[in-house]
Amino acid sequence: MTTIQQLCPGCGRQLQLPAEAVGKTARCPACEATFQVTGDAADVQPDPWAAGTAPVSPGSAPSGSVGSSPGAGPSPANPYQPSASTSPAVTIGPYQVVDVSFEQIFQTSWAIFQQRWVNLLLTTLVVMGVGIAMVALFFLLFGGVGMFFGAAGADGMSVLAIVLGAVIFIPAMMLLSGYIWTGWGRAIIAIAQDHPNPLSEMMPPMSLVMRVILSSLLIGAIVLGTVMFFGIFIGLLGAAAGPDAAATLGGIVGVVFQLAAQFVFQFFMWPWLYSICCGKSTAMGAIADSFRIAMHNKLTSLLIVVVSIGLSLVGTLMCYVGLLVTTPASMLLTAVAFLMMSSQYVADPRFVSDPGFPGQQPPPQQPAGY
């Protein structure tokens, strides 16, 4: 089957259509505009499937297709058609997990970042603004209460007011933090899938927010238990080595353990937030699913964590202002990685809509799984 390439008059996207559609009315899968298929001779392209071009895994880029122009050679293979050359998908929880290389994830993330950086920056500004407001409110509330009762000479009442304030304020902050993180994760997924209004996803349903909070508490309990175990172990070593050696040993081991724990946590849990935000995993299931997805793509997960940490360090070294760029870039990288590994839709701007090939679905009106 031969194909023709034609621009959609509604959204300007380049479409590939079967040659048999010449003279007929077609509908754009992106904007749903209808138009007449012209079929100029210069636009006729050979079928890459008939030519033996191997399809690629979902959301990934076929080699040599980026930047190709009409008439310059075979048209790009359908980027959403599962590849027969890759290992079969493995069922992990509600997902069909496939092997995806870091190169494919990085190229797709970079293409999306270049086209949709405005929405990424806006979501980051909202999250950072709310975070700053939360910290400021914390100090104002507890500082004001302490000063009020301290000036009145009621030291006992001052302590009691702060304790009661913490009992009320801390759960409220946990709820607000869960709400912001859930909304941020949903917005990043929406941007990766080219949702028409990704900022609207920053107001998530409370059911997902509660899953994020409960899952965070479970992860916190695991981390706390691990810290306590190593704390007891270091204490025993210090008691055997003496007080001076214990202080030095505790400091060195503490720093190494903190860095190692952070790295291990990110390695196993980087898909955790998105597995909840897409609405397919429970609070406990998200932890198990994240662990198994990371283990199924060990090398790619390792590179994702290394690059994410590197981006964070770069943003911090740029007087923290750089975090406005590196933070959304890191979030997008992990979101795209999760979507591609779990065989979900990714709107890669490097590829055209391709209704002439099987397996292509129009961009959804909202992120997959919602």
Side-chain angles (χ1 to χ4, degrees):
M1 179 185 71
T2 57
T3 61
I4 58 174
Q5 295 180 342
Q6 184 170 334
L7 294 179
C8 170
C11 62
R13 296 198 180 193
Q14 190 178 41
L15 307 176
Q16 291 181 333
L17 305 101
E20 305 85 57
V22 174
K24 299 180 181 179
T25 300
R27 183 185 298 273
C28 175
C31 67
E32 297 188 353
T34 57
F35 58 93
Q36 191 76 15
V37 181
T38 59
D40 295 335
D43 291 337
V44 177
Q45 297 294 320
D47 180 12
W49 298 87
T53 302
V56 294
S57 57
S60 61
S63 59
S65 64
V66 179
S68 60
S69 59
S75 57
N78 179 13
Y80 304 104
Q81 178 71 16
S83 172
S85 62
T86 60
S87 59
V90 175
T91 301
I92 295 179
Y95 308 108
Q96 294 297 314
V97 179
V98 295
D99 295 325
V100 185
S101 70
F102 178 78
E103 180 183 5
Q104 293 173 328
I105 295 171
F106 181 82
Q107 290 177 350
T108 304
S109 302
W110 176 238
I112 294 173
F113 184 88
Q114 288 177 296
Q115 186 184 73
R116 306 165 201 162
W117 64 271
V118 174
N119 284 329
L120 287 167
L121 179 60
L122 289 176
T123 58
T124 305
L125 288 173
V126 170
V127 171
M128 288 186 173
V130 173
I132 294 174
M134 288 171 57
V135 174
L137 181 61
F138 177 85
F139 283 105
L140 287 175
L141 178 63
F142 285 94
V145 169
M147 290 177 62
F148 175 79
F149 284 98
D155 293 336
M157 290 296 296
S158 174
V159 174
L160 178 61
I162 292 176
V163 171
L164 291 177
V167 171
I168 299 173
F169 189 76
I170 292 178
M173 289 297 99
M174 290 180 59
L175 180 62
L176 182 58
S177 297
Y179 190 87
I180 290 299
W181 274 100
T182 307
W184 198 11
R186 284 170 60 91
I188 296 297
I189 292 177
I191 292 172
Q193 296 182 328
D194 202 14
H195 191 286
N197 186 16
L199 293 179
S200 66
E201 299 299 332
M202 298 198 74
M203 295 181 289
M206 289 304 301
S207 59
L208 296 185
V209 175
M210 297 309 298
R211 291 186 206 177
V212 169
I213 294 175
L214 179 57
S215 185
S216 301
L217 292 175
L218 292 173
I219 294 173
I222 294 173
V223 172
L224 180 61
T226 305
V227 170
M228 292 179 61
F229 173 80
F230 276 93
I232 295 173
F233 178 73
I234 294 172
L236 294 175
L237 289 179
D244 295 335
T248 303
L249 180 63
I252 296 175
V253 174
V255 172
V256 173
F257 173 75
Q258 181 180 2
L259 294 176
Q262 180 182 1
F263 186 86
V264 171
F265 170 78
Q266 290 191 1
F267 177 83
F268 290 118
M269 291 291 109
W270 67 262
W272 155 75
L273 178 64
Y274 305 109
S275 64
I276 295 180
C277 288
C278 73
K280 295 184 178 181
S281 295
T282 63
M284 296 186 64
I287 299 175
D289 295 340
S290 299
F291 177 85
R292 295 171 64 189
I293 290 173
M295 291 300 294
H296 188 76
N297 286 269
K298 298 182 186 67
L299 179 58
T300 302
S301 296
L302 176 63
L303 293 174
I304 288 173
V305 173
V306 171
V307 172
S308 298
I309 294 176
L311 288 172
S312 179
L313 290 175
V314 170
T316 303
L317 292 175
M318 296 173 64
C319 300
Y320 290 92
V321 178
L323 291 174
L324 288 173
V325 177
T326 59
T327 301
S330 178
M331 290 285 290
L332 179 64
L333 179 71
T334 51
V336 169
F338 170 74
L339 292 173
M340 293 176 68
M341 289 181 184
S342 57
S343 304
Q344 299 187 69
Y345 179 81
V346 177
D348 190 334
R350 297 172 298 165
F351 297 104
V352 298
S353 300
D354 194 354
F357 294 119
Q360 173 79 26
Q361 297 294 328
Q365 294 302 309
Q366 59 183 5
Y370 282 52

